[in-house]
Amino acid sequence: MPQPRLPLPPAPAVYSGLHTDHYPWTEVTTDLLTRQGQGLSAVFDAQQGPHWARFVWVGGALRGGFTAGGEVGWPQAMAGLPRARVSLTPL
């Protein structure tokens, strides 16, 4: 059964709705790794059409990623959503 995604408040997003055509996955990944080293606690969303992935970090540790179909890893999300709009919302 597909899992719903709870909405997040639009503010105070670090970035919201950035398109990976303009902010490539390599830059997104580098930014997240830097923030992870700084103790990132945030929710990252990627959306491409009806498909999406969400990842959660707490204190710099990735707690997991999931889609409507279940758990997903970072490489699978990047491959499955090559032209996504991405958002990062601190917790």
Side-chain angles (χ1 to χ4, degrees):
M1 172 179 225
Q3 299 297 314
R5 198 171 33 152
L6 296 175
L8 295 172
V14 175
Y15 43 86
S16 180
L18 292 179
H19 203 290
T20 57
D21 284 348
H22 305 290
Y23 190 56
W25 277 111
T26 54
E27 292 183 31
V28 170
T29 301
T30 299
D31 177 64
L32 291 171
L33 287 172
T34 300
R35 292 175 189 277
Q36 186 175 347
Q38 298 167 348
L40 175 68
S41 289
V43 174
F44 176 87
D45 283 312
Q47 177 94 34
Q48 183 176 325
H51 306 288
W52 57 269
R54 175 172 277 178
F55 292 85
V56 178
W57 281 266
V58 177
L62 177 61
R63 297 296 185 194
F66 62 97
T67 67
E71 291 187 21
V72 68
W74 188 258
Q76 293 80 22
M78 287 189 307
L81 303 169
R83 302 188 73 207
R85 291 198 177 275
V86 298
S87 300
L88 181 65
T89 306
L91 297 175

